[in-house]
């Protein structure tokens, strides 16, 4: 038997045959990618002409191409080596080995395609099988092919072992191999059972606790079980059941980046200059952000997020460490086109973090996003002993449009996907809290759970203008269209998305709750009354007896710790919408329309490759905005019209009644005049003349 193995051909011609097959596979993949991703590739010339693609993106693209080629080469080598050693076991001839190797390559590729269909159902290559085979049938075929491949691999491994023993002709070589295996086993044992058991030391105290802010994107409170929704979110609900919960918290601008900048600075978007996603940060004062102040006071500051495409928060905000996908144009480009069956299986592994930095733990790449990968990214940092108390801010983006991840099939976005994403992020939140407890973060800490904004899903009530409660000075006059519709059949009390409509209260309504561990106990209560995400910064700094600096927010510690039970803050709270092209005012946006409607508004910074809003487009963006003032139980909104006038809409939140006539008796009995004056003072030249109905 050993003599047969020694004289057996090694299949040199097979390797070149497999290389040719793999080359054709690469060409087929590229062709299919171009066909499926025409939005990015066929329109690339238009994008390049408008955005001015800088040379700085080239190294990342070349690295990506090189990695993909290496993966395909490794696939070829794996099939070849398996075929060769399998052939040694059965003493195949050279021709038989080549025939078997080609068949094995085809079976291996089919196994990969079926696996891609099962584990990444939203992959472009899954559509190859989508119309023919269901997920269930694909799973059965994948299981059968996997068993076949495993059997072949084990037999090939047996052939490899026989070859190795044949090469070990003396006892010294055999002893050396055994010693090497023993050393590797010992190193693995030491790493797993000794190093991993080192206890984590925490430096926080009751007077100087860890500050942990957990942000979950796009969560509207009324869709949580805690607030009475039929579909439960048990882990978030449990946290809220032990927290001081502000039931009427708002954000001043319901988009991720402006909202987070307002959280970190405690300042309105109007005052901090970040009034749209991807806004130019050159005018932003970062000297008094929450992380900058706490770092100056001796805190370690960490920020982590699984999506940076529209929210470019980095170390400049005062963070010692930022864990996120890389920021810049290649996040949009490579993160989108990186969808190949072979590489998809590596993205969420430990090596995928280095091979595919634009895809690993990146919620923006929902096709391959595994919620656990983001937690794995955090684990090494959280498990380090700490010599300083820590400000830890995390932003989970799973519930953001399109409400999907790798294992959730997505044909057309619907409200059921939003429900599914809330359920999955609830589990992600539970796992994260378990990590915090395991690594001693919760011995002395204040944990703030919030959402940066809510979400409108085009159901009745998503705009607070009920058609049956409209008040007009003309009895039979129909309700005029004062808002930009997101759907042709959308009613006056419906809206979609977030940051698109200032009267879409579910867009601006956020989760905000405080819970303490090992320090002054919080009261366990639902606290009504309007507050803001801008209140987080001053509340934390007041608790720590630190100077507040510039702030638009209020102090909430009296409510958190039980000195007050109902918010008695009565002042104007100003909100604004973001730039909202027609394609984005829906929960069914078409990527091509979104891209080409907004492309003229952006440029790419040559050095950083970040996409930012052009200065020349700033006035157009401001002119498209809606503005509103929430005061006591009233809302006054101003909607821009094509005639450069603004239409007012006044709503009584207690009764639901509303009007567009500020000269009506209903309006005269309201604080509308005060609210309009306050908005003119605050927003200044951003407001155009207001139309009064006669």
């Amino acid at each position: 038997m050993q003599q047969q193995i020694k004289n057996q051909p090694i299949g040199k011609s097979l390797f070149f045959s497999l290389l040719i097959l793999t080359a054709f596979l690469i060409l087929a993949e590229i062709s299919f990618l171009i066909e499926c991703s025409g939005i990015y590739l066929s329109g690339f010339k238009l994008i390049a002409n408008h955005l001015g693609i800088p040379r700085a993106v080239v190294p990342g693209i070349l690295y990506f191409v090189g990695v993909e080629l290496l993966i395909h080469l490794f696939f070829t080598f794996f099939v070849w080596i398996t075929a060769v050693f399998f052939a040694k076991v059965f003493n195949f001839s050279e021709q038989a080995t080549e025939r078997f190797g080609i068949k094995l390559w085809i079976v291996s590729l089919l196994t990969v395609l079926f696996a891609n269909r099962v584990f990444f159902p939203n992959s472009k290559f899954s559509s190859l099988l989508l119309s023919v085979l269901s997920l269930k049938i694909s799973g059965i075929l994948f299981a059968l092919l996997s068993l076949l491949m495993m059997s072949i691999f084990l037999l090939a491994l047996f052939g490899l072992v026989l070859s190795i023993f044949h090469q070990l002709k003396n006892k010294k070589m055999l002893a050396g191999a055994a010693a090497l295996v023993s050393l590797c086993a010992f190193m693995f044992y030491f790493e797993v059972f000794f190093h991993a058991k080192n206890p984590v030391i925490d430096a926080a105290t009751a007077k100087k606790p860890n500050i942990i802010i957990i942000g979950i994107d796009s969560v509207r409170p009324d869709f949580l079980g805690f607030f009475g929704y039929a579909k439960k979110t048990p882990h978030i609900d449990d946290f809220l059941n032990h927290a001081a919960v502000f039931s009427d918290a708002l954000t001043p601008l319901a988009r991720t980046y402006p909202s987070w900048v307002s959280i970190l600075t405690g300042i309105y978007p109007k005052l901090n200059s970040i009034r749209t996603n991807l806004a130019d940060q050159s005018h932003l004062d970062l000297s008094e952000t929450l992380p900058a102040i706490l770092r100056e006071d001796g805190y370690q500051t960490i920020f982590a997020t699984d999506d940076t495409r529209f929210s470019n928060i980095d170390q400049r905000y005062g963070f010692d460490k930022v864990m996120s996908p890389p920021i810049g144009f290649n996040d949009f480009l490579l993160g989108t086109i990186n969808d190949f069956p072979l590489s998809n299986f590596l993205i969420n592994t430990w090596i995928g973090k280095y091979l595919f930095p634009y895809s690993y733990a990146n919620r923006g790449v929902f096709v391959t996003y595994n919620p656990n990968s983001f937690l794995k990214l955090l684990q090494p940092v959280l498990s380090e002993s700490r010599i300083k108390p820590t400000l830890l801010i995390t932003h989970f983006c799973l519930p953001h449009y399109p409400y999907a991840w790798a294992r959730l099939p997505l044909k057309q976005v619907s409200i059921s996907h939003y429900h599914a994403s809330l359920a999955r992020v609830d589990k992600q939140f539970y796992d994260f809290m378990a990590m915090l407890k395991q690594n001693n973060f919760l011995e002395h800490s204040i944990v703030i759970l919030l959402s940066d904004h809510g979400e409108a899903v085009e159901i009745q009530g998503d705009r607070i203008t009920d058609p049956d409660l409209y008040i007009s000075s003309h009895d039979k006059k129909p309700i005029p269209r004062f808002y930009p519709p997101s759907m042709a059949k959308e009613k006056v009390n419906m809206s979609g998305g977030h940051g698109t409509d200032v009267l879409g209260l579910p867009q601006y309504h956020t989760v905000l709750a405080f819970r303490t561990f090992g320090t002054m106990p919080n009261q366990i209560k639902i606290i009504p009354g309007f507050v803001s995400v801008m209140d987080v910064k001053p509340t934390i700094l007041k608790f720590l007896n630190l100077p507040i600096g510039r702030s638009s927010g209020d102090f909430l510690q009296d409510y958190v710790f039980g000195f007050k039970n109902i918010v008695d803050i009565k002042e104007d709270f100003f909100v604004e919408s973001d730039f909202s092209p027609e394609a984005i005012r829906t929960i069914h946006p078409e990527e091509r329309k979104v891209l080409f409607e907004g492309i003229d508004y952006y440029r790419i910074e040559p050095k950083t490759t970040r996409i930012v809003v052009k200065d020349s487009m700033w006035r157009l963006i401001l002119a498209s905005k809606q503005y509103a003032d929430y005061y006591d139980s009233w809302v006054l909104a101003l909607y821009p019209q094509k005639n450069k006038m603004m239409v007012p809409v006044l709503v009584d939140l207690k009764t639901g009644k509303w009007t567009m006539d500020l000269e009506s008796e209903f309006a005269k009995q309201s604080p509308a005049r005060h609210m309009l004056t306050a908005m003119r003072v605050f927003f200044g030249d951003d407001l155009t003349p207001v139309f009064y109905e006669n």
Side-chain angles (χ1 to χ4, degrees):
M1 181 68 176
Q2 290 181 345
Q3 185 67 28
Q4 290 176 340
I5 292 173
K6 180 179 179 180
N7 296 329
Q8 183 67 31
I10 60 173
K12 291 181 180 179
S13 63
L14 171 61
F15 186 76
F16 294 104
S17 298
L18 296 182
L19 273 181
I20 293 173
L21 285 174
T22 302
F24 278 110
L25 171 63
I26 293 172
L27 292 175
E29 288 177 326
I30 293 173
S31 300
F32 187 75
L33 177 69
I34 292 174
E35 180 68 23
C36 293
S37 301
I39 174 178
Y40 297 101
L41 301 178
S42 65
F44 187 79
K45 183 178 179 180
L46 174 64
I47 297 172
N49 290 338
H50 280 74
L51 294 181
I53 308 300
R55 294 180 180 178
V57 307
V58 174
I61 295 174
L62 292 178
Y63 177 78
F64 168 75
V65 172
V67 167
E68 285 291 346
L69 291 176
L70 283 175
I71 290 173
H72 284 74
L73 181 61
F74 177 81
F75 173 74
T76 303
F77 177 78
F78 174 79
V79 173
W80 173 73
I81 203 72
T82 302
V84 166
F85 284 106
F86 183 90
K88 285 182 178 293
V89 174
F90 294 97
N91 197 22
F92 284 177
S93 66
E94 177 72 15
Q95 291 182 340
T97 300
E98 185 163 356
R99 288 195 299 270
F100 174 76
I102 291 174
K103 292 177 182 178
L104 180 61
W105 186 93
I106 295 172
V107 172
S108 299
L109 179 60
L110 287 175
T111 304
V112 169
L113 289 175
F114 280 114
N116 191 68
R117 171 78 176 99
V118 173
F119 295 105
F120 305 101
N122 300 308
S123 168
K124 299 178 183 69
F125 289 87
S126 291
S127 63
L128 285 170
L129 306 169
L130 185 62
S131 59
V132 179
L133 300 174
S134 66
L135 277 174
K136 185 176 181 180
I137 295 176
S138 298
I140 294 172
L141 292 175
F142 166 66
L144 294 175
L145 288 174
S146 297
L147 287 174
L148 175 61
M149 288 295 299
M150 182 60 68
S151 301
I152 294 172
F153 177 75
L154 290 176
L155 287 170
L157 188 61
F158 176 68
L160 174 62
V161 171
L162 289 178
S163 297
I164 292 174
F165 274 96
H166 181 74
Q167 297 298 324
L168 296 175
K169 297 182 178 179
N170 57 61
K171 295 182 178 179
K172 290 184 178 180
M173 295 180 66
L174 185 61
L180 180 62
V181 172
S182 299
L183 178 61
C184 293
F186 174 77
M187 292 176 64
F188 176 78
Y189 176 83
F190 180 82
E191 176 69 20
V192 173
F193 293 98
F194 284 89
H195 179 72
K197 290 186 177 181
N198 290 337
V200 177
I201 299 173
D202 185 44
T205 64
K207 291 186 177 180
K208 208 167 185 178
N210 295 319
I211 306 298
I212 302 169
I213 301 176
I214 305 173
I216 305 179
D217 205 292
S218 305
V219 177
R220 51 187 288 172
D222 61 331
F223 271 43
L224 299 178
F226 176 82
F227 289 99
Y229 197 63
K231 296 183 181 295
K232 304 301 180 184
T233 42
H235 306 302
I236 294 175
D237 297 343
D238 180 70
F239 179 92
L240 298 177
N241 281 324
H242 296 86
V245 182
F246 293 90
S247 59
D248 301 310
L250 299 174
T251 182
L253 204 164
R255 289 278 166 85
T256 296
Y257 186 39
S259 184
W260 268 108
V261 174
S262 289
I263 292 169
L264 298 178
T265 63
I267 299 173
Y268 276 110
K270 166 70 177 178
L271 303 179
N272 65 32
S273 79
I274 304 301
R275 304 179 67 181
T276 184
N277 277 342
L278 299 176
D280 189 343
Q281 304 181 54
S282 60
H283 307 296
L284 178 60
D285 181 7
L286 298 172
S287 62
E288 293 185 347
T289 64
L290 176 62
I293 293 173
L294 290 185
R295 184 168 64 178
E296 186 70 21
D297 191 54
Y299 272 76
Q300 175 187 211
T301 55
I302 302 172
F303 178 74
T305 180
D306 55 1
D307 196 338
T308 60
R309 291 195 173 183
F310 297 98
S311 182
N312 296 170
I313 294 174
D314 54 23
Q315 283 87 348
R316 292 177 296 173
Y317 286 77
F319 293 106
D320 298 314
K321 186 172 297 184
V322 172
M323 292 172 289
S324 70
I327 299 172
F329 177 75
N330 277 343
D331 182 20
F332 289 85
L333 177 66
L334 300 182
T336 300
I337 68 173
N338 185 20
D339 176 16
F340 297 95
L342 289 176
S343 59
N344 283 351
F345 293 96
L346 295 175
I347 286 174
N348 294 307
T349 65
W350 66 270
I351 197 174
K353 179 168 58 175
Y354 306 101
L355 295 180
F356 303 107
Y358 293 98
S359 299
Y360 182 81
N362 188 347
R363 202 287 322 169
V365 190
F366 73 91
V367 169
T368 54
Y369 176 69
N370 181 346
N372 293 331
S373 64
F374 183 47
L375 297 177
K376 291 177 182 177
L377 183 68
L378 300 181
Q379 178 60 40
V381 174
L382 299 185
S383 60
E384 295 175 352
S385 291
R386 300 174 289 276
I387 60 174
K388 299 178 180 179
T390 300
L391 168 67
L392 173 62
I393 301 178
T394 57
H395 183 209
F396 297 92
C397 297
L398 189 58
H400 192 282
Y401 179 87
Y403 325 128
W405 64 99
R407 297 302 299 273
L408 180 68
L410 185 71
K411 293 182 180 180
Q412 183 177 7
V413 179
S414 67
I415 192 172
S416 64
H417 292 93
Y418 184 60
H419 289 148
S421 69
L422 288 178
R424 185 60 184 89
V425 83
D426 181 67
K427 176 61 167 58
Q428 196 178 27
F429 169 77
Y430 171 80
D431 292 337
F432 178 65
M433 290 295 292
M435 288 173 57
L436 293 178
K437 184 176 181 180
Q438 178 185 3
N439 293 294
N440 298 331
F441 270 94
L442 300 182
E443 291 186 354
H444 302 288
S445 66
I446 298 176
V447 181
I448 301 102
L449 176 63
L450 58 83
S451 55
D452 51 344
H453 54 75
E455 186 81 346
V457 292
E458 291 174 341
I459 59 176
Q460 295 193 33
D462 275 0
R463 184 183 289 113
I464 54 174
T465 45
D466 189 320
D468 295 332
L469 298 175
Y470 176 59
I471 297 175
S472 174
S473 56
H474 305 277
D475 293 337
K476 296 184 179 181
K477 185 176 181 179
I479 301 172
R481 177 62 65 88
F482 60 88
Y483 58 92
S486 61
M487 292 178 61
K489 298 181 179 179
E490 183 181 86
K491 297 181 180 179
V492 72
N493 62 345
M494 299 168 63
S495 68
H498 52 265
T500 64
D501 197 324
V502 292
L503 290 181
L505 188 55
Q507 301 185 27
Y508 288 81
H509 190 192
T510 73
V511 176
L512 182 59
F514 291 73
R515 183 175 174 184
T516 62
F517 298 83
T519 184
M520 184 184 299
N522 60 272
Q523 70 165 327
I524 301 174
K525 186 176 178 62
I526 297 177
I527 305 165
F530 283 125
V531 297
S532 164
V533 294
M534 295 185 298
D535 301 336
V536 170
K537 174 193 169 185
T539 300
I540 291 172
L541 296 179
K542 184 74 171 179
F543 176 84
L544 297 174
N545 295 314
L546 295 175
I548 308 302
R550 189 182 180 198
S551 176
S552 304
D554 291 300
F555 308 121
L556 302 180
Q557 67 273 11
D558 285 348
Y559 309 104
V560 173
F561 298 114
F563 302 110
K564 294 181 180 179
N565 295 321
I566 299 177
V567 173
D568 56 6
I569 302 169
K570 185 179 180 181
E571 57 187 34
D572 299 282
F573 181 75
F574 303 106
V575 305
E576 57 186 284
S577 66
D578 195 1
F579 166 59
S580 300
E582 181 179 354
I584 207 171
R585 294 193 301 269
T586 174
I587 63 170
H588 311 284
E590 296 182 26
E591 285 186 300
R592 191 178 189 86
K593 287 186 177 180
V594 172
L595 177 62
F596 292 114
E597 276 192 50
I599 195 170
D600 285 324
Y601 287 79
Y602 301 101
R603 63 179 176 84
I604 299 180
E605 293 182 334
K607 292 184 179 180
T608 65
T609 75
R610 295 186 179 190
I611 300 176
V612 298
V613 174
K614 293 179 180 177
D615 292 338
S616 59
M617 295 296 168
W618 189 241
R619 292 307 308 176
L620 293 176
I621 291 175
L622 292 182
S624 72
K625 282 177 173 281
Q626 310 152 15
Y627 302 92
D629 179 19
Y630 283 77
Y631 179 79
D632 195 12
S633 62
W634 294 84
V635 185
L636 176 63
L638 301 177
Y639 284 79
Q641 305 297 304
K642 292 182 179 179
N643 60 4
K644 296 185 179 181
M645 300 287 286
M646 303 194 87
V647 169
V649 180
L650 179 67
V651 184
D652 182 352
L653 293 175
K654 288 184 177 178
T655 65
K657 295 181 179 180
W658 63 286
T659 186
M660 298 172 61
D661 183 3
L662 296 188
E663 298 296 332
S664 65
E665 288 300 317
F666 172 75
K668 290 179 180 179
Q669 296 175 7
S670 73
R673 290 296 174 185
H674 159 80
M675 298 167 75
L676 184 58
T677 300
M679 291 174 70
R680 282 172 171 160
V681 171
F682 183 78
F683 289 110
D685 295 339
D686 295 342
L687 302 186
T688 56
V690 176
F691 172 78
Y692 289 87
E693 182 179 349
N694 295 321

